[in-house]
Amino acid sequence: MRDAVVGSIGRGLLVFLGAERGDDGTTAEEAARKVAALRVFEDEGGKMNRALAEVGGAVLVVSQFTLAADLSRGRRPGFEKALPAAEARPLYEHFVKTLQLLGLTVETGAFGEMMEVELVNEGPATFLLEFKIQDSRFKIEADAPHSQS
């Protein structure tokens, strides 16, 4: 996807989304609701107190299976916990659709493709959200940027 902008937003969140074995539609919906409700944007007092909708923000969602990497052994990452692409894509799409149904503007990267992702991070403010629902772990890393993929 070099030299082609696939998705781009102004103010908002860049969400790197990784799905692990055991994740399902319920996990994707809960993660989307959490992202939509995060109060990580500053109010007039400089306190993180506003959600995406309150600041007119958008979301850029980029698939990132490496978030499921196990780095606890050896010197190379293991990806045994990562959901295979054929199973991860529907969860990725469900996450995106849920954000849209919640009224947010959503752009995406190209699922499973090598991409160059640019962001301007305000802060820096980076958050790792993990959703554990019935032994499922849905990982999201979110930045508060102006972004494009």
Side-chain angles (χ1 to χ4, degrees):
M1 305 295 0
R2 295 191 198 302
D3 299 328
V5 175
V6 177
S8 179
I9 64 170
R11 189 167 195 200
L13 293 175
L14 168 58
V15 172
F16 291 107
L17 188 142
E20 293 185 354
R21 295 183 188 280
D23 290 340
D24 60 18
T26 301
T27 315
E29 289 171 17
E30 181 63 28
R33 281 193 294 274
K34 180 73 171 188
V35 167
L38 283 175
R39 296 183 345 178
V40 296
F41 295 94
E42 291 184 354
D43 62 17
E44 53 283 336
K47 183 177 180 179
M48 285 187 176
N49 203 25
R50 294 203 170 146
L52 277 163
E54 294 173 274
V55 298
V59 184
L60 174 59
V61 183
V62 176
S63 62
Q64 187 67 37
F65 87 99
T66 59
L67 287 173
D70 179 0
L71 300 171
S72 65
R73 295 169 281 143
R75 294 178 294 190
R76 287 191 313 207
F79 298 104
E80 297 81 18
K81 295 186 290 185
L83 204 58
E87 296 173 47
R89 181 187 297 267
L91 292 181
Y92 172 85
E93 292 169 352
H94 191 58
F95 175 81
V96 168
K97 186 67 172 173
T98 302
L99 287 173
Q100 292 169 333
L101 289 171
L102 291 169
L104 295 174
T105 299
V106 182
E107 294 279 331
T108 63
F111 183 90
E113 297 291 330
M114 178 65 103
M115 292 176 287
E116 293 178 5
V117 179
E118 295 179 16
L119 85 108
V120 175
N121 196 342
E122 297 174 9
T126 302
F127 307 95
L128 177 63
L129 307 172
E130 293 183 284
F131 296 86
K132 188 136 173 99
I133 301 173
Q134 296 177 346
D135 295 326
S136 165
R137 293 184 72 148
F138 202 70
K139 293 187 178 181
I140 296 176
E141 183 175 322
D143 289 296
H146 300 335
S147 308
Q148 72 180 27
S149 162

